[in-house]
Amino acid sequence: MAKLFVPRKRLNRKFILWLLKEERHESEGQHHQHSWWQVMCLTGVDYFSTLGYQPGIAALAAGALSPVATLILVLLTLFGALPIYRRVAAQSPQGEGSIAMLEHLLPWWQGKLFVLCLLGFVATDFIITITLSAADATAHIVENPLVPNFLHHQAIAITLVLIALLGTVFLRGFREAIGIAVFLVGVYLLLNLVVIIVGLYQIFNQPSLITDWQTTLFAQHQNPLLMLGVAALLFPKLALGLSGFETGVAVMPLVRGSSSDTQEQPEGRIHNTHKLLTTAALIMSFYLITSSLVTTLLIPAAEFQSGGKASGRALAYLAHQYLGNGFGTIYDLSTISILWFAGASAMAGLLNIVPRYLPRYGMAPNWARATRPLVLVYTAIALGVTIIFKANVEAQGGAYATGVLVLITSAAFAVTLSAHRQRSKGGTIAFAIITLLFIYTTIVNIIERPEGIRIAGFFIAAIIVTSLVSRVWRSTELRVERIEIDEAASDFITQESQGKIRLIAHRRNTGSAREYFLKEKEVREDHYLPPTDSILFLEIRVSDASEFEGIIRVKGEEVDGYRILRAESAAVPNAIAAILLHLRDQTGKIPHAYFGWAEGNPIQYLLRFILFGEGDIAVVTREVLRKAERNPERRPAIHVGG
């Protein structure tokens, strides 16, 4: 048994090491860059692939009014979402997106909690992108007439296999593939153009189709203004056609700019990203309007219903109907490929979220820095969502639209707030109106399809709870990137290192000489320090307690002969511990730090430390040092008196 146990133990250890191996991501500004139209194709696998199911969902939601509602959606895309994200691109050229804008515009814990909530909607958007794309790819598989009959009732199983395959690809190590994206998008748009042209040709040769459609419209809505009003109420159900803008900004580091670009002012990259966003919006607008028109006029309404031949695959239905099963199969293969690759794009987006935000907040466990555990978590969630929604495309549309709309609304709000702070009255009013339109659209979508907000609520709760637990768990880490000491502070430390290094932890009030005199007198009496022993005062001011780690810059100052080391940090105990360890390493001597006992409820002090970076300083500093330095003989000494 022992011989069997040892290899198994080694195997488990190798598996864990492989699972937790951190992949090296490209550092900021060192991405391999491409022409803007190539990067547009990378975003297009998500944006353009919605043509696979958008026309069917639009027809099911709006019926004969689908082309009119789609026109309103296109107008909101071109004159609402596009101007917003052009502004976002200009203000976050490194790919941070609107979430980072809000993080910078909203200070302290409000900004962090708001970002966590938005991350819940991002998770909703990307997870549902994976599951909905896989479900629609399955619909194109099972409805193809060349596929064996026994697969027609295996939609859930096929969808689960596609998602598991996607997870497997990322476990093995997925890399950005611009070339694949360009090929898939080019072929897919070309095939869709052929189907739409053939559809328009059929409509042109059968004028009765237009007449019948007009008759149906005016029979239901006799007043054209009333018709537009109803279409405006219905178009939130078509919000899937707005996806892709946030991704377009997120991939900005991949866009090649001009030779004169700098890291701070990449004007060429911003200009090319504007071209990317505008071109993608114009292409999608064309396809949205024309696909909605041909599918509404040529496909019987019953076929859009669940179980119908056009359910989740309206354009594919027309491809088979008018161009034969051979062309239809080619179209299906193209659609399946781009939908599956859209899931890959969403998975890649999810894997970038945790490294970009949560570790900076201290709100992600250490294993979350590795890619593979996250792939397993996201894949498991996607599999669960697929089972819950039974791989139904239309049923997941509400959740997808909720994630998309909340992200666009948050971007609109961020741009409005930015315009206001820049004192642009016209810009503030214009973007505020757009924000209100998106708020209306989001609210209507949530009321009509509440499953989206339920899923987003689950993700938000999971992210907040996990993040707060992680923040508490990691609160006693050093939480410092590096320490920088100015010349005056360095001189003080050099003088002090001639004997024992003694520092008095002090919270400054008035900063007067009398304040330091009384504090020194108190410490010397409590700890029986002789007056001949020199001391330094150490003062840490809390900058932003919601931050987790950063650079500590120590400045040396002198007040009437009292030498003081001053610094700012997100947490006082962690900063003191980091400075003590730094002094030990620089001088080769063990520093001694002197504190007074805190009086009051320890639970209250614990909350003060977590929320405000202070609390019972001596106790927490000792714990931070204990975790950072396991050898007690090399650990800086903590003295508490009073």
Side-chain angles (χ1 to χ4, degrees), residues 573 576-577 580 595 616-625 638:
I576 292 176
L580 291 175
F595 299 82
D616 195 345
I617 306 298
V619 173
V620 181
T621 302
R622 170 67 173 71
E623 178 60 18
V624 174
L625 287 170
I638 301 297

Side-chain angles (χ1 to χ4, degrees), residues 8 81 140 143 222 257 289 311 401 469 555 581:
R8 182 176 298 176
H140 285 78
E143 292 297 333
Q222 296 180 358
I289 293 176
S311 177
V469 170
K555 298 179 179 179
L581 290 172

Side-chain angles (χ1 to χ4, degrees), residues 50 92 146 191 206 223 241 320 429 438 468 476 590 596 620 631 637:
T50 58
S92 59
L146 303 181
L191 294 176
Q206 302 177 62
N223 190 327
H320 284 274
I429 294 173
F438 280 118
L468 293 180
T476 53
I590 302 296
V620 181
N631 185 356

Side-chain angles (χ1 to χ4, degrees), residues 354-386:
V354 171
R356 178 166 288 180
Y357 292 102
L358 297 187
R360 284 196 296 111
Y361 301 167
M363 292 180 173
N366 287 327
W367 58 260
R369 296 181 182 275
T371 297
R372 293 186 177 104
L374 291 179
V375 171
L376 292 177
V377 171
Y378 296 145
T379 302
I381 294 173
L383 293 173
V385 170
T386 296

Side-chain angles (χ1 to χ4, degrees), residues 22 72 91 114 157 159 175 194 238 354 390 496 624:
E22 182 180 354
I72 294 176
Q91 297 191 20
F114 192 74
T159 305
R175 293 292 181 267
V194 172
L238 283 62
V354 171
K390 299 179 180 179
E496 194 70 12
V624 174

Side-chain angles (χ1 to χ4, degrees), residues 288-596:
L288 282 174
I289 293 176
T290 54
S291 64
S292 175
L293 183 64
V294 297
T295 53
T296 302
L297 269 63
L298 293 176
I299 300 176
E303 297 294 350
F304 290 112
Q305 301 297 324
S306 181
K309 294 182 179 180
S311 177
R313 55 187 302 276
L315 287 171
Y317 175 91
L318 294 181
H320 284 274
Q321 182 77 13
Y322 294 106
L323 293 166
N325 290 335
F327 181 89
T329 299
I330 295 174
Y331 181 89
D332 285 339
L333 291 173
S334 174
T335 305
I336 292 166
S337 300
I338 196 170
L339 286 168
W340 188 84
F341 208 74
S345 174
M347 179 69 82
L350 280 170
L351 294 174
N352 284 328
I353 290 174
V354 171
R356 178 166 288 180
Y357 292 102
L358 297 187
R360 284 196 296 111
Y361 301 167
M363 292 180 173
N366 287 327
W367 58 260
R369 296 181 182 275
T371 297
R372 293 186 177 104
L374 291 179
V375 171
L376 292 177
V377 171
Y378 296 145
T379 302
I381 294 173
L383 293 173
V385 170
T386 296
I387 294 173
I388 291 172
F389 284 102
K390 299 179 180 179
N392 186 298
V393 175
E394 200 279 329
Q396 298 178 72
Y400 186 32
T402 298
V404 170
L405 286 171
V406 169
L407 289 181
I408 294 180
T409 303
S410 68
F413 175 70
V415 170
T416 303
L417 192 57
S418 175
H420 174 69
R421 293 194 174 184
Q422 293 174 2
R423 304 189 178 217
S424 173
K425 187 174 181 180
T428 302
I429 294 173
F431 288 121
I433 293 173
I434 296 173
T435 303
L436 291 175
L437 287 174
F438 280 118
I439 290 174
Y440 154 75
T441 307
T442 304
I443 293 174
V444 170
N445 181 77
I446 291 173
I447 294 173
E448 291 285 339
R449 295 181 282 187
E451 69 275 6
I453 198 66
R454 293 194 193 106
I455 292 179
F458 167 78
F459 284 128
I460 290 170
I463 288 174
I464 289 179
V465 170
T466 304
S467 298
L468 293 180
V469 170
S470 174
R471 179 73 181 234
V472 173
W473 186 264
R474 298 183 59 195
S475 60
T476 53
E477 295 179 6
L478 280 179
R479 297 167 56 174
V480 58
E481 295 178 21
R482 66 177 184 273
I483 295 178
E484 298 177 356
I485 298 180
D486 73 0
E487 185 176 351
S490 181
D491 289 341
F492 292 162
I493 294 169
T494 300
Q495 296 169 19
E496 194 70 12
S497 64
Q498 302 303 314
K500 279 191 175 182
I501 302 177
R502 304 185 188 275
L503 298 100
I504 297 177
H506 176 58
R507 181 175 182 177
R508 181 175 49 171
N509 293 316
T510 62
S512 64
R514 178 171 175 75
E515 179 182 330
Y516 294 108
F517 168 77
L518 294 175
K519 182 66 176 181
E520 179 183 358
K521 181 174 181 295
E522 176 188 341
V523 170
R524 289 189 184 277
E525 290 176 354
D526 289 342
H527 298 281
Y528 304 101
L529 297 179
T532 55
D533 287 6
S534 63
I535 59 162
L536 290 175
F537 285 91
L538 178 58
E539 297 176 350
I540 308 296
R541 190 177 74 86
V542 177
S543 51
D544 182 355
S546 66
E547 293 292 336
F548 186 72
E549 62 183 14
I551 301 171
I552 297 180
R553 296 179 172 87
V554 182
K555 298 179 179 179
E557 297 184 25
E558 191 168 348
V559 176
D560 200 16
Y562 295 100
R563 298 168 301 162
I564 309 159
L565 302 179
R566 288 175 176 163
E568 292 186 358
S569 177
V572 174
N574 309 70
I576 292 176
I579 291 173
L580 291 175
L581 290 172
H582 182 78
L583 294 180
R584 180 203 65 183
D585 296 338
Q586 292 295 311
T587 64
K589 293 189 174 183
I590 302 296
H592 295 252
Y594 297 88
F595 299 82

